[in-house]
Amino acid sequence: MFTVTKEVSFCYGHRLMEHAGKCRNVHGHSVKAAITLSAEKLNRHGMVCDFGEIDGVACGFIEEQLDHNFLLHRDDPLLPFLRQANERFMALDEHPTAEYLAKLIYQYIAAQGYPVDSVSLWETPSACASYRE
Ligand SMILES: [Zn+2]
């Protein structure tokens, strides 16, 4: 089994409603997503996938949807105020944790037909959440 991993850095704001600690407050992160693809056999170029191609697919989604965006649970009471102020945000079906963001990135890349093994999101240099199916 071969794997390749491409890292993509981006920033976002969020808060975790109902969180007992300081994550309940509005704050932001500069994170790194590590996207790993796997294959039993290499393609005719001797690769699992060209790094530039992974970068193109992942960066497209991340830059358009997640980067410098404000990620909130769809039930967050801040949403009406942000809407009224014409601020950019993304309302999510689940709490905007590193785990859920890793899942969103995984599902997007898988939906584009790429053999995603896992997506890890480094929220801090020492804290990482991963998703795989
Ligand atoms: Zn946070």
Side-chain angles (χ1 to χ4, degrees), residues 31-72:
V31 301
K32 180 178 71 181
I35 297 144
T36 299
L37 273 54
S38 65
E40 290 289 340
K41 293 180 179 177
L42 300 179
N43 67 18
R44 66 188 178 94
H45 303 293
M47 301 173 175
V48 172
C49 183
D50 189 278
F51 288 119
E53 193 175 340
I54 305 168
D55 201 44
V57 173
C59 282
F61 174 72
I62 289 169
E63 285 178 13
E64 288 170 22
Q65 302 293 322
L66 305 176
D67 187 40
H68 284 78
N69 205 347
F70 196 22
L71 312 176
L72 296 168

Side-chain angles (χ1 to χ4, degrees), residues 14 23 27 29 123:
H14 77 162
C23 291
H27 64 284
H29 293 282
E123 195 174 77

Side-chain angles (χ1 to χ4, degrees), residues 12-16 22-29 96-98 123:
Y12 62 88
H14 77 162
R15 74 170 179 172
L16 303 178
K22 59 186 180 182
C23 291
R24 66 189 298 274
N25 301 312
V26 171
H27 64 284
H29 293 282
T97 59
E123 195 174 77

